[in-house]
Amino acid sequence: MAEQVLAADGRPLKASLNRALRRQKMRALMLIAPLLLFILVSFVMPIADMLFRSVENQIVGETLPRTVVELADWDAAGEAEPDAAVFEALARDLAIAVEEKSHTRLGSRLNYELTGVSSLFRKTGRSVDEIGETVQDALEDAAPIWKERSVFGGLLGTDDWTNAVDAWDETGTGPAFEARPEMQAVLPDTTSLYRSFTEIAMEAGDNPLTEKQLPIFFHVLAQEVTTAPTDGLSDAQAALFADVQTTVAGLTLDDPKALFVDIDEDWGSTDVWRTIQTYSPAYTDGYFLNSVDRLKGAEGAELRPENERIYITLFIRTMIMSFTITVSCILLGYPIAWLLANLPARKANLLMILVLLPFWTSLLVRTSAWKVLLQQQGVINDVLVWIGFVADDSRLQLINNQTGTIIAMTHILLPFMILPLYSVMQTIPPSYLRAAKSLGATNWTAFWRVYFPQSIPGIGAGSILVFILSIGYYITPEIVGGTKGVFISNRIAYHISSSLNWGLAAALGAILLAIVLIFYWAYDRIVGIDNVKLG
Amino acid sequence: MSGLPTYATPGQTVWYYGFRIICGLIFFFLIAPIVVIIPLSFNAQDFFTFTPEMLAFDPEGYSTKHYEDFFTSSDWQLALKNSLRIAPVATILSVSLGTLAAIGLSQSHVPFRRAIMAILISPMIVPLIISATGMYFFYSNPYIPIPFYGKLELPFTLTGTYIGVVLAHAALGIPFVIITVTATLVGFDKSLTRAAANMGAGPVTTFFRVQMPLILPGVVSGGLFAFITSFDEVVVVLFVGSAGQKTLPWQMFTGLREQISPTILAVATILIAISIVLLFVVELLRRRSERLRGMSPS
């Protein structure tokens, strides 16, 4: 066996080298780590958050937890509306949601799927506290203790908890509700409802023991007390139960189903219920289906009605316009790059300034320039009228349409085409063209068969860059595009700031991101991201 | 190609001049929209086109009133101040982190180099509207994801704050710093650092006394790119910022979308002047960098 070569410190040379390599790698990573961490937190996680929001749909399950469970068994394809138990659950969920004011948010969320749900929820929210008033009035007449605001807290919560709430200064998180075990066993629904109530009250910085009791508590209590076993309760508790039972015995309890249908007959139809059931899971593909003009119907995805289909058209329009812009950039950029690459360095550098100045000029300056120039009373139309190209009364409509967007964006993105083309053309030896001509090629053949193929990498790099940049443009189309010349980005911005349908905005963004990443990947394969050159 | 040879056929002559005319027109297309803004900004009327007085070079037709408007309007001044408060800080952040990382990336044997590079460049490639959307969601309710636990929500919000906008702009500027500094480091002679170490300099001294002066042109031009990115950025600030962080581009954008006022042209002219200055600084730096690296300046 050959003797191991040793390093100066006596270790085997191989191990020593490995250690040095490891340290080198570590040092490189240590230098990169701060930036990588920064980008992860400030950029990558926001993007991930957006992707998450495009499928996230917890609001239905969180706002209507009891209804969602009851509704799970309902046959959405059938004609019948859900049974009374579902309405009972909805009454409880809504009473809590109204207290939290989250029913309007849920209404807006479901309104994206079925128009009218938003107003339905708001209308229902105003009347939902009628449920339970019958029992509340009867109990309050029977015994004054039911008028006290702390009655449910004292009945259902442990003494430790009520004392802790009394001592709580109403800032920060309040003491978590602790149920009396015997009550939890006997009155599970009332306890669970009261627990949600305490959480909401304390979240808002209110003492649940001094807040007005919800009528729904009485309603649920009345239901549970009639069937509740009294074993395990103390004598006082049993006596209280007996009193409640006698008071309630002669009453007809409020019927949530009748009340809801009375508030709005939509509750009696299957549409609203089907929508709630469809969107009850915590994650949904609904936003993505919406992004491609589809909706979740009773039997899976189906196409939206003709007049509601906009997104596929918009995606196709974005692609076609980006493609048009890319092609016009090639047509305009190629001669310029060729001229710059073939002029003597001094002249080329001087002309290069004409390319770099627009590149360095603020995007908004260039956009405002086009807005000013393209107007019907703007400079371009003035000049055209002056030279007699168009009549004064038939000035060209150059702005607020696709023409405006294409002209302005071609101008803005042209430097991104010229610069990569130029750097590729610089590397093509001019002697190739001369050789081709000396072998008998015409100018055109020499260009088309010899020069052009060598410049294709530049065209590729420039085109992908221009296409990627243009497909996600927002500012310029927004200002010069009107309604016909806007891109998918403008729709995303609209959903974020105006319609507040964030899930749909996130889904549209995710699709756009996927398209861009495909091209980014292609760019990386063809050009290599390390080879991007600026200026 | 230098001039036309004496033996050129008429066809070649036509093509030669025709091609130059085409190129001239394209250059005109590139530069005219920017240049035309400048005289228009001195319009004495509130019009966006040349008035007859202007065309007759009548001094009456010109005035600096739009500039006065810019310098006296509190809205515009606030916007200018905000831009000057945000851009430099964002630039410092991206330049310092970016330069370190670029040095790290330029070492031999960096594991996952390609993937890291792709992530660091991505803010330049991902459409601004998507970055803005994501930041709008995440910054309003930042959290740390913890595996098998869920998310740890942080007790503050970054939307509508100065720090939020600076962080967002710094992220957008980083690709430019990485690209320019990496490009400078490609030509960096590693034996120089070894020589410095050989003469007894520690890594910190080597960095500041030997490496930094040599890559400085790249760092500065990366910084200028980062600065202009932040200074010119409007989409992200619209989403992440609030009225208190209204920047110059934001003010221009709302002006262009709603009531378009000629003051915008005055602002645009000032911004053009700034970009001309920046362009020359970058060009000088590029030449200096090439000289330092022993290439002949072209």
Side-chain angles (χ1 to χ4, degrees):
Chain A
M1 208 169 107
E3 200 175 320
Q4 277 189 323
V5 187
L6 297 185
D9 58 357
R11 294 160 186 269
L13 182 61
K14 216 170 179 180
S16 193
L17 281 175
N18 275 338
R19 215 181 62 169
L21 186 64
R22 225 171 22 243
R23 274 177 50 189
Q24 208 177 1
K25 280 185 183 174
M26 278 309 291
R27 201 174 54 214
L29 281 182
M30 291 287 278
L31 286 168
I32 301 168
L35 180 66
L36 202 57
L37 207 66
F38 177 80
I39 284 284
L40 282 179
V41 172
S42 66
F43 185 79
V44 177
M45 276 181 42
I47 302 275
D49 192 37
M50 185 199 77
L51 295 178
F52 174 70
R53 270 174 200 260
S54 64
V55 291
E56 189 252 25
N57 186 47
Q58 272 139 0
I59 183 167
V60 182
E62 272 171 14
T63 320
L64 305 176
R66 299 168 183 87
T67 317
V68 163
V69 173
E70 288 292 332
L71 197 60
D73 300 331
W74 176 61
D75 173 25
E79 290 296 309
E81 74 266 19
D83 53 21
V86 175
F87 283 93
E88 190 69 50
L90 181 69
R92 297 173 190 186
D93 284 334
L94 263 186
I96 294 292
V98 168
E99 196 66 13
E100 202 181 7
K101 298 185 181 61
S102 60
H103 66 297
T104 50
R105 274 197 300 132
L106 177 65
S108 330
R109 162 67 187 97
L110 290 175
N111 203 53
Y112 300 137
E113 315 303 339
L114 183 69
T115 320
V117 179
S118 181
S119 61
L120 176 68
F121 268 71
R122 242 177 291 131
K123 201 156 105 185
T124 315
R126 280 197 292 271
S127 312
V128 79
D129 59 357
E130 287 171 21
I131 300 170
E133 276 179 350
T134 320
V135 184
Q136 187 175 13
D137 292 345
L139 280 177
E140 284 181 357
D141 287 345
I145 180 188
W146 294 105
K147 285 185 184 158
E148 280 175 30
R149 293 188 163 189
S150 61
V151 57
F152 278 97
L155 184 69
L156 304 170
T158 60
D159 294 336
D160 285 349
W161 179 73
T162 44
N163 292 337
V165 171
D166 284 334
W168 179 49
D169 62 354
E170 302 193 3
T171 57
T173 358
F177 178 69
E178 288 169 33
R180 289 176 192 270
E182 69 274 17
M183 286 299 171
Q184 173 94 51
V186 177
L187 305 173
D189 289 359
T190 320
T191 315
S192 123
L193 209 57
Y194 189 74
R195 184 191 298 275
S196 310
F197 170 74
T198 60
E199 281 163 7
I200 292 163
M202 291 195 288
E203 183 91 352
D206 293 324
N207 184 339
L209 296 180
T210 58
E211 284 286 289
K212 213 171 142 213
Q213 304 296 309
L214 303 179
I216 193 79
F217 295 157
F218 296 93
H219 180 72
V220 180
L221 176 74
Q223 286 177 334
E224 287 192 313
V225 118
T226 43
T227 55
T230 44
D231 46 307
L233 298 183
S234 70
D235 291 345
Q237 287 169 331
L240 190 74
F241 268 54
D243 287 346
V244 175
Q245 274 170 346
T246 44
T247 317
V248 171
L251 290 175
T252 357
L253 295 185
D254 296 313
D255 178 7
K257 184 168 180 176
L259 183 90
F260 279 126
V261 176
D262 190 42
I263 294 171
D264 197 306
E265 58 191 13
D266 278 355
W267 286 118
S269 80
T270 48
D271 286 353
V272 175
W273 289 108
R274 193 179 296 132
T275 310
I276 296 179
Q277 195 191 42
T278 313
Y279 288 94
S280 38
Y283 296 96
T284 177
D285 54 0
Y287 292 122
F288 277 102
L289 289 175
N290 201 342
S291 307
V292 289
D293 292 340
R294 276 158 180 77
L295 55 83
K296 280 172 95 95
E299 290 112 31
E302 50 192 63
L303 213 58
R304 278 183 185 267
E306 194 98 33
N307 57 350
E308 286 178 23
R309 291 180 209 160
I310 49 171
Y311 295 113
I312 290 196
T313 325
L314 202 53
F315 271 114
I316 292 175
R317 188 210 284 163
T318 308
M319 300 285 265
I320 290 178
M321 282 176 68
S322 303
F323 183 73
T324 316
I325 291 162
T326 312
V327 171
S328 15
C329 280
I330 297 175
L331 292 179
L332 297 181
Y334 200 90
I336 294 291
W338 192 82
L339 186 74
L340 289 175
N342 288 287
L343 278 179
R346 282 185 85 80
K347 276 191 188 168
N349 266 340
L350 215 60
L351 284 178
M352 197 62 175
I353 290 176
L354 297 182
V355 178
L356 289 178
L357 183 62
F359 183 70
W360 275 95
T361 306
S362 162
L363 168 67
L364 276 151
V365 171
R366 288 181 280 168
T367 309
S368 16
W370 283 111
K371 173 130 187 171
V372 167
L373 291 176
L374 294 174
Q375 285 177 13
Q376 291 215 306
Q377 303 301 323
V379 175
I380 291 182
N381 264 310
D382 277 357
V383 170
L384 291 179
V385 169
W386 182 65
I387 59 175
F389 191 71
V390 292
D392 197 11
D393 51 357
S394 61
R395 286 167 175 255
L396 300 178
Q397 172 76 37
L398 294 171
I399 203 167
N400 295 335
N401 55 20
Q402 301 195 0
T403 322
T405 308
I406 291 173
I407 295 178
M409 285 187 54
T410 303
H411 175 251
I412 288 168
L413 295 174
L414 190 50
F416 290 97
M417 177 65 81
I418 296 179
L419 293 175
L421 259 179
Y422 171 65
S423 68
V424 167
M425 285 184 180
Q426 265 188 319
T427 63
I428 304 175
S431 51
Y432 286 11
L433 263 185
R434 285 201 288 270
K437 283 185 200 165
S438 78
L439 291 172
T442 60
N443 281 336
W444 171 250
T445 320
F447 167 75
W448 185 246
R449 301 281 300 275
V450 176
Y451 195 86
F452 185 75
Q454 295 185 76
S455 66
I456 282 185
I459 297 182
S463 306
I464 297 180
L465 195 60
V466 168
F467 192 81
I468 288 180
L469 290 174
S470 87
I471 205 171
Y473 243 60
Y474 165 65
I475 297 293
T476 310
E478 180 77 18
I479 287 174
V480 298
T483 49
K484 285 275 172 213
V486 291
F487 283 5
I488 196 74
S489 327
N490 303 82
R491 201 68 197 167
I492 297 176
Y494 164 78
H495 282 307
I496 294 278
S497 49
S498 301
S499 84
L500 304 183
N501 191 350
W502 291 355
L504 181 57
L508 290 171
I511 295 176
L512 180 61
L513 183 66
I515 298 174
V516 168
L517 286 183
I518 291 171
F519 284 97
Y520 182 32
W521 176 79
Y523 188 87
D524 189 27
R525 294 304 297 269
I526 297 167
V527 192
I529 28 174
D530 315 27
N531 295 338
V532 183
K533 284 208 178 61
L534 301 162
Chain B
M1 61 193 268
S2 49
L4 208 56
T6 41
Y7 49 83
T9 60
Q12 282 173 330
T13 317
V14 169
W15 171 242
Y16 178 81
Y17 288 108
F19 183 73
R20 301 224 158 197
I21 289 170
I22 292 172
C23 287
L25 287 176
I26 300 171
F27 277 122
F28 180 77
F29 171 72
L30 268 170
I31 212 76
I34 297 171
V35 173
V36 91
I37 288 280
I38 298 171
L40 278 179
S41 71
F42 291 99
N43 198 335
Q45 307 286 326
D46 284 353
F47 293 150
F48 290 101
T49 184
F50 291 98
T51 56
E53 293 85 17
M54 291 180 86
L55 292 174
F57 294 105
D58 183 354
E60 292 285 302
Y62 294 86
S63 90
T64 55
K65 69 172 195 172
H66 303 312
Y67 290 86
E68 282 160 28
D69 190 33
F70 171 68
F71 284 108
T72 50
S73 146
S74 59
D75 272 0
W76 283 106
Q77 286 305 302
L78 178 71
L80 177 66
K81 214 175 80 189
N82 275 334
S83 280
L84 292 177
R85 276 178 66 216
I86 291 167
V89 181
T91 307
I92 291 171
L93 203 56
S94 34
V95 168
S96 46
L97 291 175
T99 308
L100 273 188
I103 292 173
L105 281 168
S106 72
Q107 319 253 316
S108 42
H109 313 296
V110 182
F112 312 113
R113 185 168 190 282
R114 218 180 156 84
I116 291 175
M117 199 71 177
I119 291 175
L120 296 184
I121 304 291
S122 59
M124 191 175 84
I125 299 294
V126 172
L128 278 173
I129 190 78
I130 292 177
S131 316
T133 307
M135 287 168 176
Y136 176 68
F137 292 146
F138 184 74
Y139 284 15
S140 63
N141 193 8
Y143 59 85
I144 303 172
I146 298 172
F148 308 113
Y149 166 76
K151 45 193 190 183
L152 179 70
E153 297 201 353
L154 299 177
F156 54 83
T157 169
L158 288 169
T159 34
T161 66
Y162 170 71
I163 296 177
V165 177
V166 167
L167 285 182
H169 278 182
L172 296 181
I174 277 169
F176 299 98
V177 179
I178 294 282
I179 289 172
T180 51
V181 179
T182 317
T184 327
L185 282 166
V186 167
F188 183 76
D189 187 353
K190 289 234 171 54
S191 53
L192 292 175
T193 50
R194 264 183 244 131
N198 207 7
M199 292 173 180
V204 178
T205 321
T206 314
F207 175 72
F208 281 106
R209 299 286 295 278
V210 178
Q211 197 167 14
M212 195 63 192
L214 283 169
I215 61 169
L216 196 61
V219 175
V220 174
S221 61
L224 288 175
F225 271 107
F227 180 84
I228 206 78
T229 307
S230 166
F231 197 71
D232 194 20
E233 205 288 323
V234 51
V235 187
V236 168
V237 79
L238 267 175
F239 281 64
V240 175
S242 64
Q245 286 87 44
K246 193 178 245 198
T247 58
L248 220 43
W250 179 342
Q251 180 77 13
M252 288 181 83
F253 179 65
T254 42
L256 282 174
R257 204 158 53 162
E258 289 146 23
Q259 19 67 298
I260 169 162
S261 102
T263 314
I264 288 178
L265 297 186
V267 183
T269 308
I270 295 172
L271 290 181
I272 292 171
I274 294 177
S275 43
I276 292 177
V277 172
L278 286 179
L279 170 61
F280 275 95
V281 174
V282 171
E283 188 60 21
L284 284 179
L285 285 170
R286 193 178 63 85
R287 290 180 184 205
R288 186 183 137 82
S289 158
E290 281 181 357
R291 240 192 353 261
L292 281 175
R293 282 152 59 187
M295 301 175 183
S296 60
S298 53

